Amino acid sequence: MEKVLFIELGMGVDLHGQDVTKAAVRAVQNAIHRNSMPGLRSVLPGNSLDRMKVHVRLAAPADKDKLDMEAVKRELPYGTVTVEVVDGGMLTSSGIVLEEKGDRNDLIYVVVAAVEVGY
């Protein structure tokens, strides 16, 4: 990315089921769903959203090999999207195993996202 215009941060949680993708998607949604960028197009080369680049950095606590990058990318409606996964986030106990929710154990998965937008 030649020029970063802004960075938004978010956190996503999967309380039951230990699904790192669900937590990552929620983290990206949390980062982007309270923003409006009405002037963004005017600062992008060619005034085109197609020229926008989006880089998502996810801090995931476990199961990084199971993270569905395409599901994360689908959350970003414009631009060329790249995803990077790093160690981080949190595992903590929910205090209960709910087999009907798909729990394999009592862990809560917490993923943190940094969404960089620029060109």
Side-chain angles (χ1 to χ4, degrees):
M1 193 173 309
E2 180 181 323
K3 179 125 179 133
V4 176
L5 299 173
F6 67 89
I7 300 171
E8 292 293 332
L9 304 173
M11 179 192 74
V13 177
D14 184 27
L15 293 173
H16 295 285
Q18 297 75 45
D19 186 333
V20 70
T21 299
K22 186 182 289 185
V25 164
R26 288 175 175 169
V28 170
Q29 290 171 343
N30 182 250
I32 69 170
H33 279 186
R34 291 177 310 281
N35 298 302
S36 176
M37 301 172 285
L40 181 63
R41 185 175 289 164
S42 68
V43 297
L44 291 171
N47 295 331
S48 171
L49 292 175
D50 293 333
R51 301 290 301 274
M52 182 171 69
K53 293 183 181 178
V54 181
H55 182 70
V56 178
R57 184 173 294 111
L58 299 169
D63 297 338
K64 289 181 278 306
D65 58 317
K66 295 179 182 175
L67 205 152
D68 182 348
M69 305 286 197
E70 294 305 313
V72 172
K73 287 179 180 181
R74 283 192 296 273
E75 295 302 312
L76 289 304
Y78 304 106
T80 302
V81 180
T82 57
V83 178
E84 171 188 6
V85 182
V86 300
D87 291 334
M90 176 188 282
L91 295 174
T92 190
S93 174
S94 68
I96 188 170
V97 175
L98 299 175
E99 291 179 13
E100 65 273 16
K101 296 282 189 179
D103 276 347
R104 300 182 313 257
N105 52 52
D106 73 338
L107 292 177
I108 295 172
Y109 281 37
V110 181
V111 174
V112 179
V115 179
E116 301 174 356
V117 176
Y119 58 88

